[in-house]
Amino acid sequence: MGQEIPPLITLDNAGLFRSRRWLVRGVSLSVGAGEILTLIGPNGSGKSTTAKMALGIVNPDEGSAHRRKELKVRYVPQRVSIDWTVPLKVRRLMSLTGRVSRNEADEAMSLTGTLHLADSEVRTLSGGEFQRVLLARAIAFKPELLVLDEPVQGVDYNGEIEMY
């Protein structure tokens, strides 16, 4: 038998308590390499909080959260605050917080159908184009774990299909 590969992330009966109430409680999950996990629920049900616990952005107040050591993670949040008056081209956004070669950026933008936008100003993108560029940016870093927090928020139906 081969050696068992440990999961990338694990939550075991995890919960987060803030402002005198439980935001989430009793969450257990495990995500291995190559797996897709989708958290589904209404607004305010704790999907983003659960993802943040799994990623180590917040520590659970009960239970435990574990990530594989040196796990390479990229997170695409549901909202990004950008000063839309700043002139910023898509190509520059791709490597704004880390080193990404032009080839890696172009490959990722090709995968998300946004390569034609590389020289466009970010402020001119539609909601769907912007979300796909953010996804390309995350992919360009070649993460072991990619977390998308409501990736189709503000995206029209055709954009949703393209995102998936």
Side-chain angles (χ1 to χ4, degrees), residues 82 86-93 96 120-123:
I82 290 184
V86 173
L88 178 65
K89 294 201 183 249
V90 169
R91 186 167 302 287
R92 176 68 182 117
L93 176 67
L96 199 56
S120 299
E121 292 285 336
V122 171
R123 66 178 169 232

Side-chain angles (χ1 to χ4, degrees), residues 22-149:
W22 288 99
L23 301 180
V24 293
R25 194 166 196 197
V27 178
S28 295
L29 61 87
S30 178
V31 179
E35 291 183 339
I36 297 173
L37 173 70
T38 303
L39 300 177
I40 300 172
N43 289 343
S45 65
K47 300 179 300 288
S48 297
T49 301
T50 298
K52 288 175 183 175
M53 282 194 304
L55 293 171
I57 295 169
V58 294
N59 293 319
D61 294 313
E62 73 175 4
S64 63
H66 299 283
R67 286 189 311 160
R68 200 178 74 210
K69 286 189 185 290
E70 299 180 22
L71 180 64
K72 195 173 176 183
V73 177
R74 281 292 157 175
Y75 174 66
V76 179
Q78 67 179 270
R79 287 181 202 87
V80 176
S81 295
I82 290 184
D83 180 349
W84 296 104
T85 63
V86 173
L88 178 65
K89 294 201 183 249
V90 169
R91 186 167 302 287
R92 176 68 182 117
L93 176 67
M94 293 295 290
S95 61
L96 199 56
T97 59
R99 294 184 89 156
V100 174
S101 73
R102 185 180 179 108
N103 286 343
E104 290 167 328
D106 287 355
E107 181 181 337
M109 286 188 288
S110 290
L111 287 171
T112 61
T114 57
L115 183 57
H116 68 285
L117 300 171
D119 294 319
S120 299
E121 292 285 336
V122 171
R123 66 178 169 232
T124 66
L125 302 180
S126 70
E129 289 170 337
F130 184 62
Q131 282 300 112
R132 291 196 331 266
V133 165
L134 290 178
L135 178 59
R137 185 173 176 272
I139 290 170
F141 285 91
K142 299 187 182 344
E144 297 166 278
L145 178 65
L146 178 60
V147 179
L148 310 175
D149 191 351

